[in-house]
Amino acid sequence: MRGSSLRMTGKIRRKASYISWMRPQDILIPLPAGLCCKPGGFHIDPVRPVERAVITHGHSDHARPGHGAVLATQETLDMMRLRYGDNFARTTQAIRYGEEIQLGDVTIKFHPAGHVLGSAQIAVSCKDLCIVASGDYKDAIDPTCTPFEVVPCDVFITEATFGLPVFRHGNAADEVKKLLASVALFPERAHLVGAYSLGKAQRVIALLREQGYDAPVYLHGAMEAITRYYESRGVALGELRLVRGMKKADLAGTITLAPPQATSDIWTRRFPDPVTAFASGWMRVRARARQRGVELPLVISDHADWDGLTATIEATGAGEVWVTHGQEDALVHWCKARGLAARPLDLVGYGDEEEHEVIAADEAEA
Amino acid sequence: MNRFAELLDRLAYEPGRNNKLRLITAYFRDTPDPDRGYALAALTGALSFKHAKPGLIRDMIMDRTDPVLFGLSYDYVGDLSETVALMWSKGGGDYCESLLGHPSPQPSTARGEGAQLSAALSSPDKSKATGKTLSVPSPLGGESQGEGHPAGSASDDRLRTSNLHNNPPPPTLSEVVTTLRTLGKTDLPKQLARWLDELDETGRWALLKLVTGAMRIGISARLAKTAAAALGNKDPHEIELMWPGLAPPYLELFAWLEGRGDKPVNRDPAPFRPVMLAHAIEDADFATLDPADFIAEWKWDGIRVQAVAGRDERGHMQARLYSRTGEDITKSFPDLVPSLHLPGAIDGELLVLREGRVQTFNVLQQRLNRKVVSPKLMKDFPIHLRAYDLLGDDENDLRELPFVERRAHLEAFVKKLRDPRIDLSPTIAFDSWDVLMAARANPANAGAGEDADAVEGVMLKRRDAPYLPGRPKGQWWKWKRDPHIIDAVLMYAQRGHGKRSSYYSDYTFGVWTSGEDGEQLVPVGKAYFGFTDEELLQIDRFVRRNTTEKFGPVRHVVHEPDQGLVLEVAFEGLARSPRHKSGVAMRFPRISRLRWDKPPREADRLETLERMLKDVTAN
Ligand SMILES: [Zn+2]
Ligand SMILES: [Zn+2]
């Protein structure tokens, strides 16, 4: 089934029912509400309320409230419940990695995406055609979630958050060593690490523990619930304490994790001469780091870097690539230079979680 | 090199002075010789090698990357060195591979084939891996972690470590610095490519900044020396004093700082001291300054020099003349050497004096850049030093003293020298800015007398200012005379160089004079700068649309009484010049405004320039 009929550009093909001649766009099609699977009757990561939603992971731009039925991993469902309350959807159904479910005329199967706890790629198959919607993913090792798995497919739908060849994330452990070296050099200062609350923060803590750092790690109040949830799922993070109520002098020589926005507001005044760090793939680009007033940029990303994106595309064996959000142009160009059919999906509503994390009002002073 | 790069990287983000010091000191403590010495040299600006052009770096990256991807990346990052540092892929990258011979995936009739291929890549047994993940509700639930972890996931660690494994170790800073010193131009690209292959992202960034001479990290030489001093709990002033006698990689210095060696002595009997420079004063600055805090002197239109004399180990007097950048120019002025017969360091202006009168810069220029300094040249252009500061008196370093005290030392020193070739630069008495402004407008009447021609403005020095290297804020100000201004007509245009080579950016302009055929324009000068980028585009457009003839790279641009472009030209001085058809030569001409509003016939006349010339001579 992978003949010319699969090409996005192939325009004139006898209009037949999808049962006999299935094209990728007959299975999944980008609509304003998100990626829509008509034969299955659901949307993937819809940005507007829909009847049936299949959700890749718990980040707020992918997992939104107000849908009828939601299918996702148990972790993703739990995270949505934590954020939106018990009534975030009418009904929910949990699915495990590797599990297959028939929805209408298609079969869907979840595979680990390595992005955050519970994150999944969703393989949608109809007859012989398989499309993988990978959501956000990374191919780097992360002690806090199940490793990414390559899923062979015909069409691979990929993000492109770091879709420029300047984004090379390197080894996250080295970045954490950089942080620890700074803590050792400035024992009288507090180190404040901006990190996205869901996933990044826990990964940074786990990486610190891997480096043998066993002092308590301090948390901004906005991170408490999700971090405790990680622990409840078996992710060991060592001793964690809340910053709330700590004396300024006692925070000297400590490491605190906080949502990125908090590291640049008055909340930081409670720390002694804080060193502002930020754990993000964006920190690879100096102008980006300077713009945020970061003093210690740590290149630690929950998204695949350029090498990861391109290696993954190759490994899936897909002949066609759809690019969702990020730096689409470069990645589409790269695919085409390799003879792969590729196009941007121009989906709106997904983006850079780190840049947009909102701290709930009652947590802002936490 | 990677460690040094890490330091630079961290310094670039760290705003606090004390924290910067801590970072640098820690680096000196952790880094062995000679690397830390070369780092100190890099931070104090004491390294010297020919810099690579950005164009070379661009060519190198173009050879190994897809131009579209490079373009998108450069747009995003906004800095060439950084883009190259991040994009560089070891061993030539995959660009060539992607163009040559990389087969596009074969369309297959069944998905199975592709699946098997990637399954083989990802895990030896796909069904097993899938089976495992199925059984794992919690990601850390034991067995899922191990083998079930296919292709892509290993990329960070597997691909990258295997690269490291095959590569030679990254170059040390010493290796880079010593190699660059002797490396020929043709060998540079290959050597750079090798280093870029070996270094990590930050290392590549620092290397490119270093070789292109674009290392700006907000560190003063003073700060770097202070950080070194902290290594041995020494007073940075001690390092400052011995500094002129030290050279990279400063082994002696570090040995002393670490208590392993004696204090280095400054063996150079006549060392150069980094000079102190002035800021140009703006009208708005006067409101914030109190005239009583300042001493004013003439700003001489000569060459800033440092004249140093000292006794060597055998007690012989050694004298040297340095340019303001520390270049030894003693050989060009042997006639001044005998005058430097007392140990000390004078900061002053090199001038040509004839019969006690300072000559213009045009005259002084005859003494510059000469291969041979003949007796005739020395006789026709007698050299003179006008002293305005004293940095050292015998063994004593005076630089920490306030200017007013150094001035007293200087006056005594010059008196003691009793040499006709060296005199004091007089101070200007003033009690208000208005009085000083009047002096500046008419130096001849304010004490400069017959030397007024060589005055290009006024210097203001804080009475309490120590002698600080560099351009410290608020200490010294220069207040130049208003430039002369005329309106001239654009006559010819020529393409510029380098970045401007695609624009007509060199302009010859002329003024009106009466000739045999009536009114005609006579060229009086050439200007290359003074205009904004926007104005450059406008003039370039005008040139292209109004060319009347082309001679090689030169375009004749229309210049009729009613057609053409009037340029307001500012210049610093005028001199008679038999070499110019007009008989006058301008000093530092520059375009100060475009007069689109003015018809060429209203531009200035040669007579105006001749009057200016007379005024200057008469004053
Ligand atoms: Zn995400
Ligand atoms: Zn996303």
Side-chain angles (χ1 to χ4, degrees):
Chain A
M1 276 302 295
R2 221 156 56 156
S4 58
S5 65
L6 296 186
R7 300 188 73 88
M8 295 298 298
T9 46
K11 29 193 174 210
I12 321 151
R13 189 83 215 179
R14 186 168 51 88
K15 195 80 179 172
S17 91
Y18 55 77
I19 305 296
S20 51
W21 287 104
M22 191 58 64
R23 302 172 306 170
Q25 59 269 47
D26 296 328
I27 301 177
L28 278 175
I29 184 164
L31 293 179
L35 264 181
C36 173
C37 177
K38 286 191 175 151
F42 62 89
H43 287 76
I44 296 177
D45 290 352
V47 294
R48 299 177 186 176
V50 298
E51 199 41 46
R52 292 205 291 172
V54 179
I55 289 178
T56 59
H57 69 287
H59 278 147
S60 56
D61 51 337
H62 296 258
R64 297 174 192 250
H67 306 305
V70 170
L71 177 69
T73 62
Q74 186 60 54
E75 290 87 352
T76 300
L77 292 174
D78 292 342
M79 289 169 186
M80 292 176 79
R81 198 164 289 122
L82 269 182
R83 185 180 303 119
Y84 305 124
D86 283 337
N87 300 319
F88 71 90
R90 212 166 50 237
T91 62
T92 61
Q93 183 182 348
I95 181 169
R96 284 177 300 174
Y97 295 138
E99 200 177 323
E100 252 178 25
I101 288 187
Q102 186 77 32
L103 286 175
D105 292 325
V106 305
T107 306
I108 63 170
K109 189 171 176 182
F110 272 47
H111 301 268
H115 175 52
V116 295
L117 183 61
S119 66
Q121 314 174 67
I122 298 165
V124 181
S125 304
C126 188
K127 305 212 107 191
D128 283 338
L129 190 61
C130 175
I131 305 180
V132 168
S134 56
D136 291 340
Y137 66 95
K138 74 169 174 294
D139 56 342
I141 291 166
D142 177 346
T144 66
C145 65
T146 309
F148 177 83
E149 183 185 304
V150 170
V151 185
C153 56
D154 302 293
V155 179
F156 185 58
I157 307 180
T158 181
E159 57 142 325
T161 306
F162 293 110
L164 276 177
V166 292
F167 289 111
R168 295 224 168 100
H169 298 332
N171 205 332
D174 291 340
E175 300 297 295
V176 166
K177 283 181 200 160
K178 218 161 86 180
L179 171 62
L180 289 173
S182 181
V183 172
L185 185 61
F186 295 109
E188 78 290 3
R189 306 176 72 186
H191 281 67
L192 209 52
V193 184
Y196 190 50
S197 304
L198 199 180
K200 184 70 61 68
Q202 297 75 28
R203 183 174 177 213
V204 170
I205 300 170
L207 286 165
L208 282 166
R209 300 307 184 203
E210 277 185 353
Q211 291 302 317
Y213 184 77
D214 54 9
V217 170
Y218 291 81
L219 295 181
H220 184 282
M223 287 179 161
E224 187 183 11
I226 185 67
T227 307
R228 296 295 176 202
Y229 175 72
Y230 261 71
E231 289 184 303
S232 77
R233 299 303 291 188
V235 181
L237 297 174
E239 188 183 347
L240 304 174
R241 290 184 192 169
L242 285 183
V243 174
R244 191 169 37 220
M246 288 292 296
K247 285 210 198 83
K248 189 170 186 169
D250 294 339
L251 289 167
T254 62
I255 298 175
T256 299
L257 282 122
Q261 278 73 2
T263 61
S264 55
D265 71 26
I266 51 167
W267 180 77
T268 62
R269 291 195 197 149
R270 70 188 64 201
F271 295 93
D273 190 14
V275 177
T276 313
F278 186 23
S280 164
W282 297 116
M283 293 299 100
R284 190 45 105 189
V285 173
R286 297 185 140 65
R288 232 13 225 261
R290 271 197 301 268
Q291 192 186 10
R292 298 196 64 120
V294 173
E295 289 158 30
L296 185 61
L298 303 172
V299 186
I300 301 178
S301 174
D302 285 340
H303 296 266
D305 65 1
W306 174 260
D307 295 336
L309 292 169
T310 55
T312 303
I313 290 171
E314 286 196 319
T316 61
E320 185 162 330
V321 177
W322 300 352
V323 184
T324 56
H325 53 300
Q327 311 277 343
E328 303 93 316
D329 294 354
L331 199 58
V332 166
H333 173 83
W334 180 89
C335 290
K336 285 182 174 164
R338 302 249 154 179
L340 303 174
R343 65 156 185 165
L345 285 190
D346 301 319
L347 290 175
V348 289
Y350 306 97
D352 188 349
E353 304 109 13
E354 281 161 353
E355 297 287 327
H356 303 296
E357 179 170 21
V358 176
I359 309 166
D362 56 332
E363 291 166 332
E365 260 306 302
Chain B
M1 184 75 203
N2 277 334
R3 177 70 181 88
F4 177 62
E6 223 175 88
L7 172 71
L8 289 185
D9 190 40
R10 185 71 203 271
L11 287 174
Y13 291 112
E14 175 56 62
R17 181 178 184 275
N18 284 336
N19 295 327
K20 283 182 180 173
L21 279 175
R22 292 263 289 281
L23 289 164
I24 304 172
T25 306
Y27 170 85
F28 288 145
R29 188 171 297 123
D30 302 344
T31 310
D33 290 321
D35 256 38
R36 57 181 172 180
Y38 287 114
L40 178 58
L43 294 173
T44 52
L47 285 180
S48 67
F49 45 79
K50 275 234 164 57
H51 292 135
K53 297 234 161 55
L56 169 80
I57 313 291
R58 188 188 279 268
D59 291 347
M60 287 174 63
I61 194 73
M62 283 308 194
D63 276 354
R64 50 172 67 213
T65 45
D66 180 320
V68 174
L69 294 180
F70 173 76
L72 289 167
S73 300
Y74 188 22
D75 275 356
Y76 185 88
V77 175
D79 178 280
L80 181 66
S81 294
E82 192 179 338
T83 311
V84 173
L86 293 175
M87 279 191 83
W88 191 266
S89 35
K90 294 171 200 263
D94 51 8
Y95 176 47
C96 303
E97 185 202 334
S98 82
L99 287 185
L100 319 164
H102 190 280
S104 25
Q106 296 300 309
S108 62
T109 44
R111 190 170 78 76
E113 194 183 314
Q116 270 152 27
L117 181 76
S118 11
L121 277 172
S122 54
S123 120
D125 181 349
K126 188 177 161 242
S127 58
K128 187 174 145 209
T130 319
K132 269 196 178 152
T133 43
L134 240 179
S135 67
V136 182
S138 156
L140 296 188
E143 49 175 358
S144 76
Q145 282 300 302
E147 325 116 78
H149 148 333
S153 67
S155 87
D156 255 23
D157 299 53
R158 193 191 55 196
L159 290 176
R160 285 161 208 190
T161 44
S162 73
N163 258 341
L164 279 180
H165 196 71
N166 293 333
N167 278 342
T172 61
L173 178 60
S174 320
E175 198 179 323
V176 170
V177 170
T178 47
T179 309
L180 281 175
R181 261 193 213 150
T182 51
L183 197 66
K185 207 171 159 187
T186 46
D187 299 326
L188 184 60
K190 228 164 138 193
Q191 179 63 69
L192 270 183
R194 200 172 309 139
W195 284 334
L196 290 169
D197 280 351
E198 293 162 8
L199 289 163
D200 64 15
E201 281 83 358
T202 309
R204 292 195 288 264
W205 165 76
L207 175 72
L208 292 172
K209 289 288 174 189
L210 193 69
V211 299
T212 54
M215 220 177 67
R216 282 179 298 267
I217 40 160
I219 298 294
S220 67
R222 174 86 184 172
L223 192 76
K225 290 174 203 163
T226 306
L231 192 61
N233 289 319
K234 304 287 186 198
D235 184 344
H237 186 62
E238 286 190 86
I239 297 189
E240 206 65 73
L241 287 181
M242 67 178 71
W243 190 255
L246 303 175
Y250 310 112
L251 301 180
E252 271 183 297
L253 172 69
F254 283 107
W256 169 64
L257 289 169
E258 291 179 335
R260 293 181 286 106
D262 294 334
K263 182 172 172 179
V265 286
N266 187 352
R267 291 206 188 81
D268 186 341
F272 171 72
R273 287 128 174 118
V275 302
M276 179 163 176
L277 301 167
H279 284 271
I281 200 161
E282 307 285 339
D283 289 347
D285 294 324
F286 289 104
T288 66
L289 304 176
D290 183 351
D293 290 340
F294 288 88
I295 293 173
E297 314 164 348
W298 300 118
K299 178 165 170 39
W300 298 103
D301 192 7
I303 294 168
R304 175 94 180 264
V305 290
Q306 197 176 102
V308 190
R311 287 185 202 286
D312 64 16
E313 287 142 358
R314 288 168 300 167
H316 296 166
M317 188 66 74
Q318 297 285 334
R320 283 205 207 110
L321 210 56
Y322 296 99
S323 74
R324 70 176 226 192
T325 54
E327 197 189 335
D328 188 337
I329 52 169
T330 321
K331 281 203 177 71
S332 303
F333 304 96
D335 34 347
L336 191 63
V337 171
S339 305
L340 304 169
H341 54 81
L342 288 177
I346 297 173
D347 188 4
E349 202 83 2
L350 211 54
L351 302 164
V352 165
L353 244 68
R354 283 179 183 149
E355 288 148 19
R357 280 190 54 192
V358 180
Q359 304 298 299
T360 62
F361 189 81
N362 302 53
V363 178
L364 174 61
Q365 236 167 355
Q366 308 301 314
R367 289 274 328 233
L368 306 181
N369 305 319
R370 294 283 182 155
K371 282 208 182 81
V372 187
V373 185
S374 65
K376 181 171 174 353
L377 188 75
M378 290 191 278
K379 184 164 156 286
D380 291 350
F381 301 93
I383 209 69
H384 185 87
L385 177 65
R386 187 147 283 180
Y388 37 69
D389 211 331
L390 193 68
L391 316 185
D393 186 354
D394 206 350
E395 296 285 88
N396 305 313
D397 191 316
L398 306 182
R399 286 176 289 174
E400 302 271 293
L401 296 180
F403 177 59
V404 65
E405 286 179 39
R406 292 203 307 279
R407 175 83 198 181
H409 279 271
L410 175 70
E411 286 170 11
F413 189 81
V414 171
K415 206 175 209 172
K416 210 160 83 185
L417 269 176
R418 282 169 58 90
D419 195 288
R421 285 191 188 272
I422 300 176
D423 66 1
L424 262 183
S425 182
T427 57
I428 310 164
F430 73 105
D431 51 14
S432 72
W433 298 128
D434 285 342
V435 170
L436 190 62
M437 194 186 300
R440 166 176 156 272
N442 195 344
N445 290 349
E450 298 196 314
D451 291 342
D453 274 9
V455 168
E456 56 167 7
V458 161
M459 292 293 301
L460 287 169
K461 298 180 176 176
R462 278 195 76 92
R463 289 174 184 275
D464 59 3
Y467 194 91
L468 302 166
R471 212 183 287 276
K473 269 228 131 50
Q475 307 295 311
W476 284 12
W477 299 97
K478 55 186 174 195
W479 191 15
K480 288 212 182 179
R481 299 179 78 177
D482 291 327
H484 304 285
I485 284 175
I486 55 151
D487 287 331
V489 184
L490 173 63
M491 300 176 72
Y492 316 112
Q494 200 172 336
R495 279 177 192 274
H497 297 282
K499 220 169 82 182
R500 286 185 175 170
S501 57
S502 54
Y503 298 106
Y504 287 91
S505 63
D506 296 6
Y507 311 116
T508 302
F509 49 84
V511 292
W512 295 106
T513 186
S514 308
E516 286 157 25
D517 314 321
E519 288 293 280
Q520 63 179 72
L521 283 165
V522 55
V524 288
K526 258 185 154 194
Y528 320 92
F529 49 85
F531 35 84
T532 63
D533 288 350
E534 178 57 38
E535 285 173 330
L536 170 62
L537 295 180
Q538 290 170 1
I539 309 176
D540 182 70
R541 209 173 306 132
F542 178 85
V543 168
R544 289 171 198 274
R545 289 190 188 154
N546 293 282
T547 301
T548 50
E549 281 172 85
K550 290 185 199 173
F551 284 100
V554 179
R555 288 191 178 210
H556 285 217
V557 185
V558 64
H559 46 271
E560 301 294 326
D562 294 307
Q563 240 191 319
L565 175 58
V566 176
L567 306 169
E568 185 181 281
V569 178
F571 54 98
E572 294 301 320
L574 273 181
R576 291 201 185 281
S577 164
R579 281 186 297 139
H580 290 79
K581 195 175 158 195
S582 62
V584 293
M586 284 181 180
R587 203 154 116 61
F588 290 136
R590 58 200 182 268
I591 311 293
S592 61
R593 253 195 310 167
L594 305 184
R595 297 299 305 263
W596 297 106
D597 55 313
K598 213 169 194 181
R601 99 163 70 82
E602 288 176 23
D604 277 307
R605 305 184 55 83
L606 187 57
E607 290 88 296
T608 314
L609 285 176
E610 280 164 351
R611 206 174 318 119
M612 284 180 177
L613 195 62
K614 240 183 250 149
D615 283 351
V616 168
T617 342
N619 266 339

